[in-house]
Amino acid sequence: MLTKSLEDYLEAIKILTSDKKVTRVKEISEFLEVKGPSVVNALNILKEKGYIKQKKYGYIELTEIGDEEATKILNKHKIVMKFLVDILNVSENTAQNDACKIEHFISEETLNKMVISLGKKKK
């Protein structure tokens, strides 16, 4: 089980590596607006859990299990964001902030109901 914070790091790595396969501590630090030592600490935990690979002071990349988990987190974020904007008419900025919080706690049942609601709206 990952903490909210570690999920945020995985999601950030997924986003930052979408164009290229690797990222660096500095890029993650800037993306999440946290200090380098906080990133290094989180990366050490993710490395121990098998979610990322990183050689000392080198590039960071997701492992297969890390990529699967990061994809799940990012998909939850996208679904919640779309639901908030398309169904509830929440502003993009507010929806973005709320989705970042909700994605960590939402149940599968609620997420599935959001997907169903989004599907019905398209008709």
Side-chain angles (χ1 to χ4, degrees):
M1 185 81 174
L2 293 173
T3 65
K4 173 192 172 306
S5 176
L6 291 175
E7 285 184 353
D8 286 340
Y9 281 98
L10 266 185
E11 184 178 17
I13 294 167
K14 177 72 175 172
I15 291 166
L16 292 168
T17 60
S18 63
D19 292 336
K20 49 189 176 32
K21 299 260 302 166
V22 295
T23 190
R24 295 179 180 266
V25 169
K26 183 178 181 188
E27 292 170 317
I28 298 168
S29 174
E30 290 170 354
F31 185 85
L32 292 174
E33 298 177 350
V34 295
K35 300 208 182 290
S38 296
V39 175
V40 171
N41 184 44
L43 293 179
N44 285 333
I45 295 168
L46 290 171
K47 201 180 324 175
E48 287 173 16
K49 292 182 177 284
Y51 290 103
I52 63 164
K53 293 186 278 187
Q54 180 193 23
K55 292 186 177 157
K56 193 162 182 127
Y57 305 112
Y59 289 112
I60 299 137
E61 63 182 303
L62 293 166
T63 62
E64 187 175 330
I65 190 171
D67 187 60
E68 288 172 12
E69 189 64 28
T71 298
K72 284 182 201 171
I73 296 163
L74 192 56
N75 285 340
K76 277 185 189 179
H77 181 95
K78 288 176 181 178
I79 291 166
V80 172
M81 175 85 180
K82 188 161 180 54
F83 181 84
L84 294 173
V85 172
D86 292 359
I87 303 296
L88 300 182
N89 296 315
V90 174
S91 72
E92 292 271 338
N93 192 43
T94 299
Q96 179 67 25
N97 291 331
D98 288 350
C100 285
K101 296 170 191 163
I102 294 168
E103 71 190 35
H104 301 291
F105 303 105
I106 193 166
S107 69
E108 285 300 316
E109 179 183 0
T110 302
L111 192 67
N112 289 335
K113 297 288 185 180
M114 286 181 170
V115 170
I116 291 166
S117 293
L118 287 165
K120 286 180 181 174
K121 186 177 191 300
K122 291 180 183 177
K123 294 179 180 177

